[in-house]
Amino acid sequence: NAAIGTATLVGGTVTVSNTLVATGDHIMLSVSAVGGTQGFLSYTIANGTSFTINSSSATDTSTVKWIIVRAT
């Protein structure tokens, strides 16, 4: 597990397995390579398991850089 990484959207979504992520954390997202029709990004956290990055575009296949920021 890492607190920083890269993921590629498939059909506008990708789930990143990561046991470091916790409810209340912030995940900073940045598109590093645009693919498909780009949309607005959001995320949901499954505490201690994973987080899912979602695009508002179902055809978004962009590569996204992410970093987990622990809430203090």
Side-chain angles (χ1 to χ4, degrees):
N1 285 319
I4 189 170
T6 303
T8 301
L9 299 171
V10 176
T13 189
V14 62
T15 298
V16 178
S17 296
N18 192 308
T19 58
L20 297 178
V21 71
T23 301
D25 286 353
H26 300 281
I27 301 174
M28 299 176 68
L29 304 172
S30 177
V31 173
S32 59
V34 175
T37 302
Q38 192 174 11
F40 295 101
L41 299 178
S42 62
Y43 63 87
T44 56
I45 294 174
N47 189 41
T49 304
S50 63
F51 62 92
T52 301
I53 303 169
N54 295 296
S55 172
S56 60
S57 170
T59 59
D60 197 339
T61 57
S62 298
T63 300
V64 179
K65 292 184 178 184
W66 55 265
I67 183 169
I68 299 170
V69 179
R70 178 65 31 100
T72 56

